[in-house]
Amino acid sequence: MSAPDPTPLPVTPPDAPAPAPDDDDHLPTHGVADHSATRQAREQQVGQRPGTLIVREGALTPRLFLISYSTDHVVEQEYPHYDQLLAYFRAHPELRHWIDVRGYNDLALMQRLQDDFRIHPLQMEDVLGDYQRAKVEESEDGLFMVSRMTEFTRLLDINDDQLSIFTGPNYVLTFQDDYEDCLDAVRQRLRSSRSSIRRRSSLYLAYALTDVVLDHYYPTMAAIGDYLEVLEERIFQGRSDRRVLNRILHIKKDIVRFRRLVYPERDKIAEILRLPDEEIPEEIKVFFRDCYDHAIQALDLAESYRETVSSLIDLYMSDQSNRANEVMKVLTIISSIFIPLSFVVGLYGMNFQREGPDGRINHLNMPELYSPWGYVGVLSFMLVVVIGQLTFFYRKGWLSRR
Amino acid sequence: MSAPDPTPLPVTPPDAPAPAPDDDDHLPTHGVADHSATRQAREQQVGQRPGTLIVREGALTPRLFLISYSTDHVVEQEYPHYDQLLAYFRAHPELRHWIDVRGYNDLALMQRLQDDFRIHPLQMEDVLGDYQRAKVEESEDGLFMVSRMTEFTRLLDINDDQLSIFTGPNYVLTFQDDYEDCLDAVRQRLRSSRSSIRRRSSLYLAYALTDVVLDHYYPTMAAIGDYLEVLEERIFQGRSDRRVLNRILHIKKDIVRFRRLVYPERDKIAEILRLPDEEIPEEIKVFFRDCYDHAIQALDLAESYRETVSSLIDLYMSDQSNRANEVMKVLTIISSIFIPLSFVVGLYGMNFQREGPDGRINHLNMPELYSPWGYVGVLSFMLVVVIGQLTFFYRKGWLSRR
Amino acid sequence: MSAPDPTPLPVTPPDAPAPAPDDDDHLPTHGVADHSATRQAREQQVGQRPGTLIVREGALTPRLFLISYSTDHVVEQEYPHYDQLLAYFRAHPELRHWIDVRGYNDLALMQRLQDDFRIHPLQMEDVLGDYQRAKVEESEDGLFMVSRMTEFTRLLDINDDQLSIFTGPNYVLTFQDDYEDCLDAVRQRLRSSRSSIRRRSSLYLAYALTDVVLDHYYPTMAAIGDYLEVLEERIFQGRSDRRVLNRILHIKKDIVRFRRLVYPERDKIAEILRLPDEEIPEEIKVFFRDCYDHAIQALDLAESYRETVSSLIDLYMSDQSNRANEVMKVLTIISSIFIPLSFVVGLYGMNFQREGPDGRINHLNMPELYSPWGYVGVLSFMLVVVIGQLTFFYRKGWLSRR
Amino acid sequence: MSAPDPTPLPVTPPDAPAPAPDDDDHLPTHGVADHSATRQAREQQVGQRPGTLIVREGALTPRLFLISYSTDHVVEQEYPHYDQLLAYFRAHPELRHWIDVRGYNDLALMQRLQDDFRIHPLQMEDVLGDYQRAKVEESEDGLFMVSRMTEFTRLLDINDDQLSIFTGPNYVLTFQDDYEDCLDAVRQRLRSSRSSIRRRSSLYLAYALTDVVLDHYYPTMAAIGDYLEVLEERIFQGRSDRRVLNRILHIKKDIVRFRRLVYPERDKIAEILRLPDEEIPEEIKVFFRDCYDHAIQALDLAESYRETVSSLIDLYMSDQSNRANEVMKVLTIISSIFIPLSFVVGLYGMNFQREGPDGRINHLNMPELYSPWGYVGVLSFMLVVVIGQLTFFYRKGWLSRR
Amino acid sequence: MSAPDPTPLPVTPPDAPAPAPDDDDHLPTHGVADHSATRQAREQQVGQRPGTLIVREGALTPRLFLISYSTDHVVEQEYPHYDQLLAYFRAHPELRHWIDVRGYNDLALMQRLQDDFRIHPLQMEDVLGDYQRAKVEESEDGLFMVSRMTEFTRLLDINDDQLSIFTGPNYVLTFQDDYEDCLDAVRQRLRSSRSSIRRRSSLYLAYALTDVVLDHYYPTMAAIGDYLEVLEERIFQGRSDRRVLNRILHIKKDIVRFRRLVYPERDKIAEILRLPDEEIPEEIKVFFRDCYDHAIQALDLAESYRETVSSLIDLYMSDQSNRANEVMKVLTIISSIFIPLSFVVGLYGMNFQREGPDGRINHLNMPELYSPWGYVGVLSFMLVVVIGQLTFFYRKGWLSRR
C-alpha cells in the first residue's frame, strides 16, 4: 500500500493531452532501449541491391499537394492524380512550385517522380527508407537535403520524421511520410503577398522549410526542460522512487537521441555554407548562417540538459543513500535505547535465591529485589539512561529530520 | 528538530546584499534545471519569418545615449527623441560617436535604426532576440559583434545580458536591454582626455567594450570560487546535509553555463584575430590578442572550478557513507555488548526446578542460583565480557571519533 | 534454493537456435575478457620476417570458386584445381571474374596466387593473418580492401571474419577463411540478368561486396538491441541478479568490439572517397558515399547502445541499493516493534518482592503485578505502541512496496 | 579518543622542512578550492585601461642584477641604481648581457625599462600582472617569453612564479617577483669559461633559462609522486580515514594545476619551433626541440599521476565500504548467535504452571523444567547451535580478517 | 583465520617463473604509484647543461657487437676493444654493418662513438638518459630513432628499455643498456642467406629492428589479457577480496603505461611515413606502413583491456555490495524470526499474579499460564509464526543463494 501521491508528473508537449504519469506498466518498459524504425527499416534491406526502391511497411498512400507562386500570385491545390499535377507544373514554367508529396505507398508513382525530376536512384532510396541522417548532396537539378522533424510525444518519446527536399530551378519537391507536419507556418507565409518567400528563388523556400524544422526543435527541448524541472522538484520534495529514476533515464535517452538528430543537421548546414556560390548564392547563405546559429544553440541546450540529467542522477543516488541512512538511524536509536533496558530488566528477572538450600540467607544474591525502593530505583535508573541516550543522539543530530 | 547551524552559507557577489542561505524552499527548486530566457524567446519565434522584428516580452522602453568624442573633445548626452540624436550625429562627421541604445521596446525606433545604420534584418533580429551566443560578423559598415555580460546574482545564478555592438567608420552603435550595465568604466575613461580611446579609432572603442565585458567575468568567477570555499569548509566541518549537495550542483550548473558563455567569446575573438588587416588593423589586433589571453584564463579557471566541484561531490558522498558507518558502529557496539549480556541474564531467569515433582533435588538444575556468590559471580563475568568487547572495539578503532 | 524464474533471457540472432540463458557456468567466465583470435595470431608471429607467409593454425583447406560474368552472360563454378581456374580466367579476358578463395590452408596455392595476381607479400600476409582492421591500400593492379564480416553468436559474442578483396581490371579476387559467408545476396544478384553488377566494372562488384558486409552489421546490432531490451525488462520486473550484470557487461564488451570493427570500416570508406578519380571513378564513388552513410549510422546506433548500457548499469546499481534498503526496512520495522515490547514484558518479569524479608509489604515494588487489570492493561498498552509505530512507518512510506 | 597513529604523512619537497601532517585544521580547509593570486590580480584590474601599469599589491622592491659575458669574459654585479646598470650596458655593446630584475614595486623604474628596452605596454602589463600563462610573442627587438616556475611547498601546494624573458640582439632581460629563484644553475654555468652559453647568442641564454625552468618541474612531480606513494601505503595498511581522502583530493588539485601550467609551456615551445628561422635560427631550435620532449614527458607523468589518484580514490571508497561490511559482520555474527539463544533461555523463563488452579498436574506444561537433565540439556543444545552457526559463518568466510 | 584459497593468481609472462600471488606485502605497496627510472634520471639532470653526457647510475659496462653482412656474406663478432671494431668497420665499406652497443657505463667510449659517428650531443644525451619516448629525428648521416622495448615481469610490472637506432649509409648503430634483448630474431634472420635483410639497405635493418620491438608488445599484452581473465574468473567465483582489487588497479596502471609507450611509437612511425622519399625510399615505407597497422592494433587491444578493467571494477564493486546485502539478509532473517519469538516467551515470563494480595483470584491475569494446553499452544503459535516468516522471506527470494 502506497502513501498518497499528490503531484503527478505532468508533461506538456505542445498540442498534446496530458500524459499519464501513473501508467508505468508500459512506459518504463520502453524506457531505455531503442525501438527505432530506423533499425527495422535497415534490416529489411540486408543484401538488397543498392538503389532498389522499397517502400517501408506501413507507409501511407501518397497525397499530392502543389503550391504554385510568384510575387503576386499563389495557387494551392491537392491533386488526386499525379498527371494533373505534372501537367500544371509543366504548363507554368513562369511560376515557382512547391510539390509536396505526403506518403510513399505507391511504388509506381515514386518511380515516375524519380524519372520526371531526374532523381538519382540512391537518393530516392534515401527518401523512401525514411531513416536518413540529415545531409545535403548535389542532385541533378540543384540540391538534395534531408531534414529530420522532431516531435515530443505524450509518452515522453521523441518522434522524428524525415523531410526530403529536392530543389530545382523553379521548384521545390518535398517528400514526407505523414499527412500532418510542422510546415504550416511556411504555407501560411506563402499565402501572404508580403512574404519574402514569394519574392525570392526556390532555394529560399528550401531554406524556409529547413528553418521551420529547426524552429520545431525548440518546443521539443522546452518540453524536455519542463519535464526535467518537474522531476527535479519531485526529488527535492523527497518523493523520488524508482519511477523517477526510470523517467530520468528515459529523458536522458531522449536527449541523446536529440543530439544524434541535431549534430548531422548542424553539419549539413555547415556543408551548405561551404558550397560554392554558384550552387547557393551568398544572399541565401546569409540565411543559412542564421540556421547554423540556431542549430548550435539547440545543441548547447541539449548539452546543458545532459548536465542537468547527470545532476539529477547524483541527487537521486544521494537521496537513496540518505533514505537508507534514515532507516538505519531509526533502527539504531530504538535498538540502542531498548536493548540495554532489556538487559536491565532481564537482570532483575534472574532467579538467584536469597535462601540457599540450606536455609541460609545469601545477602549477596540480588538484595535489590528486597529493597522497598528497588523497583522505583530501577525505573529511575532506566529513565536516566534513556535521557542520556536521547541527549547523545540529539547532539549527533540524528533526531532532526535530515 | 535540527541542531543550531552557526555558519550560514554567505555569497558576496559584487554590489549585492548577502544571500539568504536558509531560504531553501525556493532556491533549490530552481537549482539544477534551466529556466533560460533564451528558450522562451526561441519558442515565441517558431515558424516566424526570419528577419521579422519581434520584441521580447518584458523588454524595456528604449533610452538613447550619445557620447561624441574626439582627441580633445567629449560630449555626453541622453536624447529623449531619436531624431535629435540622429541630427547631432549627422551634423558632426568629424567626431567619433558611441550611440548607446538601452531597451528594445519600440519597434518603430528599432526599424529606423536598422534603416539608418544599414543593419541586416537578421542581425537586427539577433539584437532584439537577446539570446545570441557571442559572435562576430561583418556588417555593412564594419563589424557586428555580440558579447554576453555576466552577473552573479544573490540567488547564486548567473545572469547574462546581451551587448550587441555595430562598428562603423566613425561610430559604435550598441544595444542592450538593461539600463544598468558594466560599461561605466569605459564611459569614465572616455571622459578623461588622457584616455587612449579618445585618440584611437572607433574599433578601439569596440575593443574597449569587449574587454570590459571580459573583465567582468572575473568577479563572477571570484564569487563562485568564494562560494565553493564556503561549501568546502562546511563539508570539512562535517556539516554537509542535502542542502549542501543542492548548492554544489547549483554552482556546477553555473560553471557549466559560464563555460557555455565564454567558449563562444573565445572563438569570437579568435575569429576577429583571423580577420584580414583591412577590416581590423594590426595595431588593434594586438589588443584583441590580449583579450584572447583573458578569455583563455577565464576558461582555465572555470575548468579548475569544475574539478573542484567534482572533488566536493566526492567528499560529500564519502561523508554520507562515513555517517552511515558511524550510525552502524553505534548500533553494533551497543548491540554487541548488550545482546550477549541479555542472554546471560535470561539464562538465570530460567525456571528449571531444583526440586523435581517427586521431591528429589536435581543438583544439575542451575546450581548457580543457590550459590551465595552466584549473583556477584554473574555480575563479574558480565563485567569481564564488557571490558573484553570494549577492548576489541577500541583496537578496531571504532571508539574513536572517525 | 532459488525462486522460479519464469522468463529466460532469450537471444535471437538471425538463423541461430535460441541461446541457453541458464548455462551460466560457462558464459560469464568468458564474459568480459577478450579471447580474440587476433591476439593469438599475432603471438605466433613475434620476430617473424615480415612478409613471411604463415597460415593460421586451424585454417580451412581452400576451396576455389569462380563466377565469370558479362552483361548477358554468367558462369559459376567451383574448381578443384587452381590450374583449371587460372586457365579459364586467362582464356576469357573479355569477361569479368570473381575469384572467390575460401580457406587458407595451402601455402603453395597461396604463393601461386600471390605470384599470379602480383600481390605484395605484406598484403598477402595481411590476408592470411586474418586479423587485419578494415583498410584500403593500392595494389599492383587496383585496390586491396579488407572488410570484417560480423556475426552475433548464440553465446552472445560477436564473431568477425576477414574478407580480403583485390580488384583488377577485369577481376575481383576475394579471400576468406570460412566456407559460409554473408555474400550470397551478391551471388544471387549476379545470377540475375537485370542486375547492375552485371553491367558495371569489377570495382562495382567490390563495392557490392563491401556494401553487403556493411548491411550485415544491422542484424548484429538488432540482436544486441533486442537483447538489451530483454535485460531491461528483467531489471524493470525487479528480477536483476548478478547474472544480469554479467550479461550487461558482456553486451557492453560486444558493443565496444563492434565499434572497434566499424570505425576502421568508416575510415576505409572515407579514404576510398578521397582516392583520385583515376583509381575510383566518380560514378562508383557515389555508391561508396552511400556506404559511408550506412557506416555512420551503424556507429550512431552503437553509440546509442552504449548509452543504453550505461543506463542499465545505473538502473542495476540503483536496484541493488533499493533491495538493500528493503532488507533493512524489514529489519528495522520488526526490530523497532518488538524490541520495545520485549522490554515491557521483561519489565514485568522482574522479581522485585512485594514482601520484604522482614515480611513488610513494599507497596512500591511492582504493584501492577497485583492489580486485577495488570495483564490486560499491559497488553493494551503494547497494542497502542504497535499501532503508533505502524502509523509512523506508514507515514514514512516504509510499508509500501517501493 | 583515537588510536595512536605511528606513521605520519611526510612530504619531502626539495630543501624544505618536513611538513606537519597532523596540522589538519588548516590544511584541509584550503584543500580543494583555489585561492590563486591570479584571480585576485585580475579582479583588481576590472575596467582598467589595457596597458596601464599596475603593480600587484605585496610586490617586492626591485633589485637589479647584470651579468655581462663574452666567450672569454664574465662580469656579474648587482646595481643599486638603474642608471649605472644602463650606462654599463650601453658602454659595452660588444658583450652579451643578462639584465635580471627581481621585484616590481617601483612603477617609475618599470616605466623606464619599458621605454629603454622598447617593450610594448601590453607586454609590460603581462610582466607586472604576474599571472600570465606561458606564451611567446614577438617583441620589438626579439622575442617575449613567459615561463612559470613551480615549487612544491611544505603545505602540499604548488607555488608558481612568473619568469618573463625579453630577448634582444645582445641582451636578455628577465623579470620576476622573487629574490630567490631556480636559475642559479644557469648563473653557475655562465661563470664557467667552458660553458656553451658563453660561446653562443643571447637566444641560447633564453633557451637555457627556459630549460632550467622545465627541469624544475621534475622535483615538483617527484614530490607529488612520493606523496602519492605515502598515501597509497597508508591505504594499503588499512589506515585510510577522511584526512587521507582530503590529501588525495588536495594532490589531485595540484596535479590539475600542474597540467594547467605545463600545457601552455608545451604550446609555447611548439610555437617557438614554428617561428621562422630568421627569428630563431635552426641551431637554437634543435635545443628547444629537446625542451619540447621534456615538456611532453612532464605532461605524461602528470597524466599517469592523475590515473594514480583516481585509482587511490577507488581504493579509498572500496576501503570505506569494506569497513562498513566489517562492522555489519560483527553485528550480524553476534546478533545471529545470541538472539536465538536469548529466545531459548526466554522460553524456559516462562511461567506456565505445572499445577493448574484445580491442583491437577498439567504434564504438558514445560515438563523439561522438572527433568533432572533439563538445564544441562538446554546448555548442550545451545552449544550445538553456537557451533553450527560458527561453522556457517566460517564457511562464508566472515570470520577471516577480510 | 582465512578460508583456504585453492586457486592462486598465476601470471605467465613468457620465459618467467610463476609469480608469487600471495606475496602481497610487497606487491601492492608498489601497486599503483609509479617508481619510474625515468623520473629519477630526470631529477639528476636538473640544471645540467643540455648535451652534457651523463651516465645513469647503475648502467652496465659496454659490450660491443658487430654484425657485418652483404647479400652473400655475414660476419658476427664481439669486440673487446672499440678500436678493433672501428678498424674493421672502416676497412669494409663494401659491407653493411650493425654495430650493437650494450651498456653505457664508459663515458670516454660514448664520447668517441659520438665523434666517430657524428652524433649530435643532444641525441647522445637522449641515448644515455635512457628515458626518451619513442621518436624519430634526422641525424647527420640518416635517421635517429628511439624505440621502447617492453617486458611483462613476474611482479606484474611492465619493464621498458630503450633501443636507440642511428642509421647511416652502410651501417646501423644501436644502443641499449641491457645484455639481453628481444632482437635475437633479427640476428637469426641475418645469419640466413635467404633473408631479405641481407639483400636490402641498412634502413631495412632499422625497420626490422623496429618491427621486432613492436612484435614484442603482443606477448606483453597477451600476459595482461591472461591475467585479466584469471582475475575475472576469481570474481565470478565470488572470491574477490581486496587483493583482487589491488591487482586490477595494478594491471590498469600497466595498461595506462603501455598506452603511454605505444602512442609515441605510433606517432613515430606516422612521422617516418611522412618523411620525404629521399630519406626513406617508398619501398621501405611500405614496410613501415605495416608497422603502423601493428601499432594501431596494439593500441586497440590496450583500449579494449581498459574497458575490461573498468568492467571488472564494476563487477568488484557490485560484488562488494552484494556481499553486504547477504550479510544484512542473514541478520534480518535471524532477527526477524527470533526477536518476535523472544517477545512471546518474554510475555509468558511476566509475573502477573493470579492471586491478588487480598487472595482474590484475578482471572484476567495470564489465565493461559494455568491452561493445561498453554505451553503446547504457545509452541504451536510460534511455529506458525516461524513458518509464516520463512514463507515471506522465501517469496522475497532472500533464502536463495543470490
Side-chain angles (χ1 to χ4, degrees), chain B residues 7 21 28 63 106 111 132 154 174 205 229 231 242 264 293 302 324 376:
Chain B
T7 30
R63 294 177 63 186
D106 182 343
Q111 194 64 53
Q132 183 58 48
R154 53 187 297 272
T174 62
L205 174 58
E229 280 173 33
L231 289 172
R242 243 298 282 282
D293 287 348
V376 173

Side-chain angles (χ1 to χ4, degrees), chain D residues 33-102:
Chain D
D34 196 349
H35 304 251
S36 73
T38 303
R39 222 181 58 210
Q40 291 165 22
R42 286 296 311 164
E43 283 171 50
Q44 297 177 12
Q45 283 225 337
V46 168
Q48 211 54 48
R49 185 167 71 84
T52 315
L53 294 194
I54 302 174
V55 171
R56 205 159 54 87
E57 227 176 287
L60 299 174
T61 312
R63 294 176 63 186
L64 301 165
F65 296 84
L66 179 69
I67 303 183
S68 304
Y69 62 95
S70 64
T71 310
D72 47 6
H73 198 85
V74 64
V75 180
E76 192 177 352
Q77 193 173 350
E78 177 173 1
Y79 287 85
H81 297 295
Y82 172 62
D83 294 305
Q84 299 167 352
L85 185 149
L86 193 67
Y88 188 89
F89 170 70
R90 293 206 163 141
H92 293 279
E94 81 287 0
L95 297 176
R96 273 154 283 133
H97 305 269
W98 174 12
I99 306 156
D100 182 7
V101 182
R102 307 190 203 160

Side-chain angles (χ1 to χ4, degrees), chain A residues 24-42:
Chain A
D24 269 337
D25 298 335
H26 295 94
L27 182 61
T29 326
H30 313 293
V32 183
D34 196 348
H35 303 251
S36 73
T38 303
R39 221 181 59 210
Q40 291 167 21
R42 286 297 309 165

Side-chain angles (χ1 to χ4, degrees), chain C residues 1 28 32-33 35 39 42 49-50 133 135 242 246 320 324 326 348-351 369-371 375, chain E residues 189 207 215 218 229 232 236 293-294 300 305 319 321-322 325 350-351 353 364-366 368 396 400:
Chain C
M1 192 177 169
V32 183
H35 303 250
R39 221 181 60 209
R42 287 296 310 166
R49 183 169 69 85
R133 286 158 55 101
K135 68 170 177 181
R242 242 300 279 281
N246 289 353
Q320 269 200 331
E326 214 185 339
Y348 292 109
M350 291 196 297
N351 293 324
L369 294 179
Y370 304 94
S371 149
Y375 184 53
Chain E
R189 281 164 55 199
Y207 149 71
D215 278 350
Y218 286 92
E229 278 172 35
E232 187 184 19
F236 275 122
D293 287 348
H294 295 178
D300 260 18
Y305 285 153
D319 244 41
S321 109
N322 260 336
N325 260 7
M350 291 196 297
N351 293 323
Q353 297 295 318
L364 290 173
N365 271 1
M366 310 188 78
E368 305 91 326
K396 280 211 174 288
S400 60

Side-chain angles (χ1 to χ4, degrees), chain D residues 207 215 218 229 232 236 293-294 296 300 305 319 321-322 325 350-351 353 364-366 368 396 400, chain E residues 1 28 32-33 35 39 42 50 133 135 242 246 320 324 326-327 345 348-351 369-371 375:
Chain D
Y207 149 71
D215 277 349
Y218 287 91
E229 279 173 35
E232 187 184 19
F236 275 120
D293 288 347
H294 297 178
I296 296 272
D300 261 18
Y305 285 154
D319 244 40
S321 107
N322 259 335
N325 260 6
M350 292 196 296
N351 294 323
Q353 298 295 319
L364 290 173
N365 270 1
M366 311 189 78
E368 304 92 325
K396 280 211 174 285
S400 60
Chain E
M1 192 176 168
V32 184
H35 303 250
R39 221 181 58 210
R42 286 297 310 166
R133 284 159 56 102
K135 68 170 178 182
R242 242 300 280 280
N246 289 354
Q320 269 201 331
E326 214 186 338
V327 170
V345 301
Y348 292 109
M350 291 196 297
N351 293 323
L369 294 179
Y370 304 94
S371 150
Y375 183 52

